[in-house]
């Protein structure tokens, strides 16, 4: 395992203030937004901390998965998470680490030459690159978490089953109907059929922008399942555009009753369940 | 030996299947259902599967076949009370039981059969 030469380490330690100044100068020109988000006081503290930890860790080894880099890694992860939440681009966050190179290399260049110089440069270079990747990985992780949370929120609210009337339930479908949502819809629908013992289920697809063969397949599957439980399925909200595309695509929905408006669907549902509404005076 | 009750009410027969059947007993049940239809001259048959949590492809086909056989003998069939797990598996496996009347429960099944039988006589 390669590690930093003692001599180089002493130099870096003694020149720490110079490095810091140079580094901050680079940060000011390259990642203004980052500095704005962190704040000037905070920046001083963070850069100092980072540099101290970094130089100490360098003198032990160059494998950043080791214990000596633990604090540096955690520091960068926290920074990246914070910046992601504040909508900073991952390149700017990574620039925070990468600009350390611009601060250290000129100093080393002035102090050494030849083999020792190249060796130290290569070592520092490889470690900083790895640390840069840590920030990007953390960025991706934070994004993943956000995406997962949103997905959960979406699935939770995506399939409401509404009891409209005695023995009539309705599922208003909004957005794209993919396989996983169909599964969810099917399950929720069948569950509420079991609970409410509804005789008619109305699937309102007014909120579905495009009905292709796949979506139609899902609808038919749902209707068949409801039918097996003993509940009739009515599909409403089939507008002119959807009916056109359906016929052009050769989708056969004849197994399912369909209506243009929810109103007509409801009327039909009342007929099927032998119910009438009397409007009072 | 199958110990499944075959109950006659009016012009209908009700068969509540209450435990999972193996293939042999299921076939025996089919035979005795048909025999009962023949002997009492039933016009309607209700098979209630509300307590079954599994209906496999064999059972599914057997039920559809029984309905078709009963139809040949002039008896309408309704399959009642299929549970949601059962329906989900059937649909996911693509084993769609079509050509058979289904109802939420026995009560609805009786109503449905009454309607069909009445329509037929008209």
């Amino acid at each position: 395992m390669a590690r930093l030469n003692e001599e180089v380490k002493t130099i870096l330690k003694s020149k720490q203030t110079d490095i810091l100044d140079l580094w901050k100068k680079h940060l000011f020109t390259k990642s203004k937004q980052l500095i704005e988000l962190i704040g000037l006081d905070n920046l001083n503290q963070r850069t100092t901390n980072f540099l101290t930890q970094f130089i100490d860790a360098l003198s032990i080894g160059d494998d950043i998965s080791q214990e000596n880099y633990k604090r540096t890694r955690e520091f960068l992860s926290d920074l990246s998470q914070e910046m992601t939440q504040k909508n900073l681009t991952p390149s700017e966050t990574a620039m925070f680490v990468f600009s350390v190179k611009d601060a250290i290399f000129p100093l080393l260049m002035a102090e050494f030459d030849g083999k020792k110089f190249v060796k130290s440069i290569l070592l520092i270079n490889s470690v900083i690159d790895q640390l840069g990747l840590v920030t990007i990985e953390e960025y991706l992780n934070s994004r993943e978490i956000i995406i997962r949370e949103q997905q959960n929120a979406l699935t939770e609210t995506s399939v409401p089953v509404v009891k409209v009337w005695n023995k009539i339930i309705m599922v208003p479908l909004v957005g794209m109907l993919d396989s996983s949502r169909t599964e969810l819809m099917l399950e929720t629908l069948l569950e509420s059929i079991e609970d409410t013992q509804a005789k008619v289920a109305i699937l309102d697809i007014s909120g579905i922008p495009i009905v292709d063969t796949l979506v139609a397949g899902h609808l038919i599957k749902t209707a068949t399942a409801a039918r097996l439980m003993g509940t009739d399925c009515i599909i409403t909200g089939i507008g002119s555009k959807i009916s056109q595309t359906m016929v052009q695509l050769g989708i056969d929905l004849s197994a399912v009753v369909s209506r243009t408006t929810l109103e007509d669907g409801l009327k039909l549902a009342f007929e099927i369940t032998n119910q009438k509404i009397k409007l009072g005076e | 030996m199958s110990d499944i009750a075959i109950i006659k009410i009016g012009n209908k027969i009700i068969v509540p299947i209450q435990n999972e059947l193996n293939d042999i007993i299921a076939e025996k049940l089919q035979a005795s259902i048909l025999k009962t239809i023949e002997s009492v001259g039933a016009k309607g048959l209700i098979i209630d599967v509300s307590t079954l949590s599994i209906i496999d492809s064999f059972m599914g086909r057997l039920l559809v076949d029984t309905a078709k056989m009963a139809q040949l003998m002039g008896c309408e069939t309704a399959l009642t009370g299929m549970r949601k797990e059962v329906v989900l598996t059937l649909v996911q496996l693509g084993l769609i039981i079509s050509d058979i009347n289904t109802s939420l429960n026995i009560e609805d099944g009786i109503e449905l059969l009454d309607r069909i039988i009445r329509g037929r006589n008209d």
Side-chain angles (χ1 to χ4, degrees):
Chain A
M1 192 165 63
R3 57 160 130 147
L4 201 64
N5 191 298
E6 269 309 312
E7 206 179 329
V8 183
K9 187 195 165 187
T10 333
I11 297 278
L12 287 180
K13 278 269 176 209
S14 62
K15 298 260 180 180
Q16 201 166 333
T17 11
D18 294 343
I19 297 176
L20 270 177
D21 287 340
L22 201 54
W23 183 17
K24 273 186 271 183
K25 224 170 91 191
H26 280 293
L27 283 178
F28 273 117
T29 50
K30 282 183 186 164
S31 26
K32 278 195 189 109
Q33 251 191 309
L34 182 98
I35 293 166
E36 272 169 30
L37 287 175
I38 296 182
L40 217 55
D41 297 343
N42 219 334
L43 179 75
N44 284 336
Q45 196 203 333
R46 287 199 193 193
T47 44
T48 317
N49 275 348
F50 176 79
L51 206 60
T52 321
Q53 287 167 18
F54 176 64
I55 295 172
D56 285 344
L58 261 182
S59 60
I60 299 176
D62 65 346
D63 184 357
I64 69 151
S65 56
Q66 294 298 315
E67 192 62 27
N68 47 330
Y69 283 101
K70 198 176 161 218
R71 274 174 63 198
T72 320
R73 280 200 320 264
E74 281 172 0
F75 168 80
L76 287 176
S77 298
D78 290 347
L79 180 77
S80 184
Q81 261 176 33
E82 193 187 325
M83 293 302 116
T84 312
Q85 274 164 12
K86 289 178 176 164
N87 272 329
L88 196 75
T89 60
S91 356
E92 282 217 50
T93 316
M95 195 49 80
F96 175 82
V97 186
F98 288 141
S99 51
V100 178
K101 286 186 199 172
D102 297 333
I104 293 180
F105 292 171
L107 273 163
L108 286 183
M109 218 186 304
E111 293 287 332
F112 304 98
D113 50 12
K115 224 173 165 189
K116 211 186 269 173
F117 171 69
V118 176
K119 247 183 157 178
S120 325
I121 295 267
L122 282 178
L123 179 78
I124 297 173
N125 200 26
S126 104
V127 171
I128 290 185
D129 284 350
Q130 291 177 62
L131 291 176
L133 287 179
V134 169
T135 64
I136 296 197
E137 257 169 47
E138 196 52 46
Y139 169 78
L140 285 178
N141 283 342
S142 328
R143 279 292 154 123
E144 280 300 311
I145 292 170
I146 295 173
I147 292 173
R148 222 170 300 133
E149 278 171 1
Q150 286 179 341
Q151 215 164 30
N152 283 344
L154 200 67
T155 38
E156 268 169 28
T157 54
S158 65
V159 192
V161 179
V162 190
K163 188 174 180 202
V164 187
W165 209 266
N166 184 28
K167 292 182 183 172
I168 303 172
I169 56 174
M170 188 189 108
V171 189
L173 294 169
V174 177
M176 285 310 296
L177 200 60
D178 55 12
S179 320
S180 62
R181 267 191 75 192
T182 312
E183 288 301 308
L184 187 72
M185 175 184 75
L186 203 54
E187 231 162 282
T188 354
L189 177 67
L190 295 187
E191 204 177 297
S192 35
I193 288 178
E194 225 175 38
D195 289 348
T196 58
Q197 295 279 301
K199 289 206 109 182
V200 180
I202 301 176
L203 294 179
D204 186 64
I205 60 166
S206 330
I208 295 181
I210 303 160
V211 177
D212 54 9
T213 24
L214 216 65
V215 175
H218 291 324
L219 288 174
I220 292 171
K221 189 174 157 190
T222 311
T224 322
R227 185 58 264 165
L228 280 179
M229 302 234 359
T231 301
D232 284 317
C233 228
I234 303 172
I235 296 181
T236 65
I238 298 186
S240 56
K241 255 198 193 144
I242 291 182
S243 72
Q244 258 176 322
T245 39
M246 272 194 181
V247 172
Q248 278 158 3
L249 286 173
I251 299 166
D252 183 23
L253 259 190
S254 59
V256 190
V257 192
S258 57
R259 290 287 182 270
T260 312
T261 58
L262 183 59
E263 187 188 347
D264 290 342
L266 263 177
K267 269 184 197 155
L268 183 65
F270 280 124
E271 257 169 57
I272 294 175
T273 52
N274 259 331
Q275 297 182 92
K276 265 181 199 154
I277 310 179
K278 251 191 197 163
L279 293 175
E281 292 94 300
Chain B
M1 185 51 216
S2 73
D3 45 2
I4 291 160
I6 299 179
I7 308 153
K8 175 184 171 292
I9 299 178
N11 59 357
K12 287 179 213 63
I13 296 174
I14 298 176
V15 184
I17 300 181
Q18 262 158 6
N19 24 35
E20 319 293 333
L21 305 179
N22 66 35
D23 295 357
I24 300 163
I25 294 184
E27 273 172 347
K28 272 189 189 154
L29 176 68
Q30 182 185 52
S32 49
I33 289 174
L34 294 171
K35 224 179 263 168
T36 317
I37 294 176
E38 189 188 57
S39 60
V40 302
K43 294 277 172 284
L45 165 66
I46 289 174
I47 303 176
D48 185 64
V49 289
S50 54
T51 49
L52 291 189
S53 51
I54 297 167
I55 291 183
D56 58 11
S57 54
F58 179 83
M59 194 62 189
R61 218 197 49 221
L62 188 110
L63 290 171
V64 175
D65 286 352
T66 313
K68 281 182 188 157
M69 292 164 185
Q71 174 93 58
L72 283 177
M73 298 167 73
C75 175
E76 302 291 340
T77 305
L79 193 59
T80 65
M82 230 190 282
R83 296 228 299 240
K84 76 163 196 294
E85 309 91 274
V86 174
V87 170
L88 276 176
T89 7
L90 285 177
V91 172
Q92 267 153 8
L93 290 174
L95 302 167
I96 308 288
I97 301 182
S98 49
D99 315 322
I100 189 164
N101 300 312
T102 44
S103 284
L104 284 166
N105 46 46
I106 296 188
E107 197 182 347
D108 282 352
I110 293 175
E111 219 174 90
L112 176 72
L113 286 186
D114 274 340
R115 219 165 42 232
I116 296 175
I117 294 168
R118 223 182 299 126
R120 215 173 49 178
N121 289 344
D122 283 350

